[in-house]
């Protein structure tokens, strides 16, 4: 049990580091808050290694800590909404056992951006932001392939490693 | 157990195939929607500025103007020029509103999240044309 907690702590640290690295990369899409979601690599890993509850815990802790360290209150809501929607859809898709890590990650990437647009509609009080949706869906799907490939590699590499 | 190994491989291949179907359907459907919308786009007549979720003002696209807007984080300068609208400079933290470029078709939008500003092109039938 303590070893599981320390591995989860390690995941959280890795997720925070990846979020930080991402702030250094210039945005690829001119819509604020949209990132490739490098931290999702860790969340997907946790989803496979531990399960939904643990992955949520790592994901939400990361968002809270990153907001406190280098985020702001606005980015907090965008991250939270994107991460929640993405995580729920990924967990459901994983449960069907019809998709590999990459397929699950694609859905996660898309839903992450959909979640951000939904909260943007709410915060900005304008449905006009929906016009960004198509570009963001494609961007989410493509980044999902990349993130999923990396996650699959990580899951496989660490599969045999006994942490506990 | 070679039989089991074979079955595992089959399952993995099916998953890979489903991944591909998922990716292609997402990209194709979205691309199709984008293409259809692109051809349906018509030139707009006005730009509407929404500030903090409330409609702030509407300007005709036909009339060149330089409008100083103040948002949640500071100012932004909206330029209307040659029937197009864009943000020239802004004091927001990410400057993405400037990067979003020029808009002139119905429904096209510029968003500045830090400033909570949304600028949308509309087809209002009553553009306040001043001659
Ligand atoms: Zn801006």
């Amino acid at each position: 049990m303590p070893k599981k907690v320390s591995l989860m702590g390690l995941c959280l640290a890795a997720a925070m580091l990846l979020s930080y690295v991402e702030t250094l990369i210039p945005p690829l899409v001119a819509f604020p808050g949209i990132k490739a979601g490098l931290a999702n690599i860790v969340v997907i890993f946790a989803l496979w290694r531990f399960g939904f509850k643990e992955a949520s815990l790592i994901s939400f802790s990361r968002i809270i800590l990153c907001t406190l360290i280098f985020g702001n209150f606005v980015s907090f809501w965008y991250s939270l909404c994107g991460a929640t929607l993405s995580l729920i859809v990924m967990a459901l898709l994983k449960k069907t056992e019809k998709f590999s890590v990459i397929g699950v990650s694609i859905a996660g990437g898309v839903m992450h951006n959909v979640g951000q647009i939904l909260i943007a509609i709410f915060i900005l009080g304008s449905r006009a932001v929906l016009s960004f949706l198509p570009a963001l869906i494609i961007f989410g799907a493509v980044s999902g392939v990349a993130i999923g490939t990396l996650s699959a590699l990580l899951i496989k590499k660490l599969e045999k490693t006994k942490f506990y | 157990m070679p039989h089991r190994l074979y079955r595992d491989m089959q399952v993995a291949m099916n998953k890979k195939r489903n991944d591909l179907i998922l990716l292609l359907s997402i990209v194709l459907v979205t691309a199709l929607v984008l293409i259809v919308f692109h051809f349906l786009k018509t030139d707009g007549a006005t730009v509407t500025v929404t500030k903090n979720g409330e409609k702030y003002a509407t300007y005709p696209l036909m009339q060149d103007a330089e409008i100083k807007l103040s948002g949640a984080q500071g100012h932004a300068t909206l330029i209307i020029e040659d029937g197009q609208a864009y943000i020239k400079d802004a004091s927001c933290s990410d400057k993405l509103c400037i990067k979003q470029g020029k808009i002139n078709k119905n429904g096209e939008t510029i968003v500045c999240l830090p400033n909570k500003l949304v600028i949308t092109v509309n087809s209002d039938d009553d553009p306040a044309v001043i001659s």
Side-chain angles (χ1 to χ4, degrees):
Chain A
M1 186 59 188
K3 282 188 179 161
K4 181 186 171 188
V5 172
S6 54
L7 180 56
M8 281 173 65
L10 206 62
C11 283
L12 177 57
M16 287 178 68
L17 186 68
L18 289 172
S19 302
Y20 176 67
V21 167
E22 203 159 54
T23 62
L24 305 176
I25 305 169
L28 297 163
V29 180
F31 191 80
I34 301 302
K35 299 161 198 151
L38 289 178
N40 217 21
I41 296 172
V42 178
V43 175
I44 293 170
F45 170 74
L47 192 61
W48 253 262
R49 183 86 192 208
F50 307 116
F52 178 67
K53 257 188 283 173
E54 289 85 349
S56 315
L57 188 65
I58 291 167
S59 183
F60 294 136
S61 309
R62 174 196 69 87
I63 291 170
I64 292 167
L65 288 171
C66 286
T67 302
L68 292 174
I69 297 168
F70 48 78
N72 57 59
F73 201 60
V74 176
S75 69
F76 172 76
W77 289 111
Y78 286 89
S79 304
L80 189 69
C81 196
T84 309
L85 199 61
S86 154
L87 201 64
I88 290 171
V89 171
M90 287 199 297
L92 288 175
L93 221 58
K94 179 179 182 291
K95 226 176 171 178
T96 66
E97 293 189 346
K98 289 210 158 54
F99 299 92
S100 81
V101 180
I102 298 174
V104 170
S105 166
I106 291 167
V110 171
M111 293 323 282
H112 184 260
N113 290 351
V114 170
Q116 307 227 36
I117 286 285
L118 290 179
I119 193 79
I121 292 172
F122 187 73
I123 290 180
L124 300 170
S126 165
R127 271 178 302 145
V129 288
L130 276 174
S131 59
F132 289 90
L133 196 56
L136 291 179
I137 286 176
I138 291 182
F139 183 73
V142 172
S143 58
V145 175
I147 297 295
T149 308
L150 290 171
S151 308
L153 212 70
L154 192 68
I155 292 165
K156 210 170 172 182
K157 285 266 176 213
L158 297 180
E159 200 173 33
K160 300 222 167 62
T161 316
K162 284 249 186 299
F163 288 99
Y164 55 91
Chain B
M1 263 192 279
H3 182 69
R4 179 145 172 217
L5 196 69
Y6 176 74
R7 206 181 54 203
D8 285 353
M9 265 170 64
Q10 200 73 30
V11 169
M13 266 168 63
N14 281 342
K15 285 184 174 180
K16 282 246 148 56
R17 190 200 58 203
N18 291 343
D19 288 354
L20 199 65
I21 293 171
L22 180 71
L23 178 67
L24 287 180
S25 35
I26 291 171
V27 172
L28 285 180
V29 168
T30 315
L32 201 70
V33 169
L34 268 178
I35 291 166
V36 168
F37 271 86
H38 181 78
F39 284 108
L40 288 178
K41 266 182 189 170
T42 49
D43 287 344
T46 59
V47 274
T48 300
V49 178
T50 307
K51 206 153 104 179
N52 223 337
E54 277 160 51
K55 203 171 264 184
Y56 170 73
T58 299
Y59 307 96
L61 265 177
M62 292 311 294
Q63 199 183 344
D64 290 1
E66 183 171 330
I67 300 138
K68 291 260 177 219
L69 299 168
S70 62
Q73 224 177 46
H75 75 90
T77 308
L78 171 69
I79 303 285
I80 300 173
E81 200 176 73
D82 305 323
Q84 295 182 309
Y86 63 95
I87 299 283
K88 193 173 78 177
D89 58 56
S91 60
C92 57
S93 50
D94 56 19
K95 311 278 183 220
L96 289 178
C97 47
I98 301 169
K99 253 183 136 178
Q100 286 166 36
K102 298 183 174 179
I103 54 172
N104 70 330
K105 305 274 189 203
N106 276 321
E108 284 185 340
T109 301
I110 295 172
V111 172
C112 180
L113 285 194
N115 265 334
K116 290 192 181 170
L117 288 170
V118 181
I119 296 139
T120 313
V121 176
N122 302 106
S123 61
D124 282 358
D125 292 327
D126 53 347
V129 181
I130 302 161
S131 50

